[in-house]
Amino acid sequence: MNKADLSQAVAESLNLPKRQVEDTLNGILDTIVAQLKKGEEVVLTGFGAFSAKQRAARQGVNPQNPTQKIQIAAVTVPKFKAGKGLKDALK
């Protein structure tokens, strides 16, 4: 299921216009991304928690030339931890 399919399903479920649901979904996603950029954690109780994790710089190996070492820069990556409600629903 992609974002358009999700918007359609929610619109049908709540009997709302698809455009309104798309705008709401985009607003939610934009807010989550903005909070993660600020270093904040976004917790949706029962569903899960979104956070940003700093991955340290490290040395790696060039896959095209395994004898050559390359430096991999530090990067911030998104992290999601599923909540109890989501875990229980999938059991």
Side-chain angles (χ1 to χ4, degrees):
M1 176 179 274
N2 60 27
K3 191 159 75 168
D5 295 338
L6 178 62
S7 296
Q8 182 65 38
V10 172
E12 290 172 3
S13 171
L14 298 177
N15 198 24
L16 293 172
K18 184 179 177 190
R19 184 68 187 155
Q20 182 181 0
V21 173
E22 286 175 346
D23 291 344
T24 303
L25 181 58
N26 287 333
I28 291 169
L29 296 177
D30 291 345
T31 303
I32 290 172
V33 170
Q35 292 303 307
L36 294 178
K37 281 183 177 181
K38 288 197 281 186
E40 299 288 325
E41 183 175 295
V42 178
V43 178
L44 303 174
T45 304
F47 183 75
F50 297 91
S51 61
K53 181 181 177 189
Q54 185 71 23
R55 189 177 291 166
R58 63 192 191 280
Q59 195 172 53
V61 177
N62 182 349
Q64 294 178 346
N65 183 2
T67 59
Q68 181 184 12
K69 304 290 184 197
I70 57 174
Q71 188 64 26
I72 301 170
V75 66
T76 303
V77 294
K79 181 180 173 187
F80 177 75
K81 181 180 178 198
K84 186 178 183 328
L86 179 59
K87 290 178 185 177
D88 290 345
L90 295 176
K91 285 185 181 177

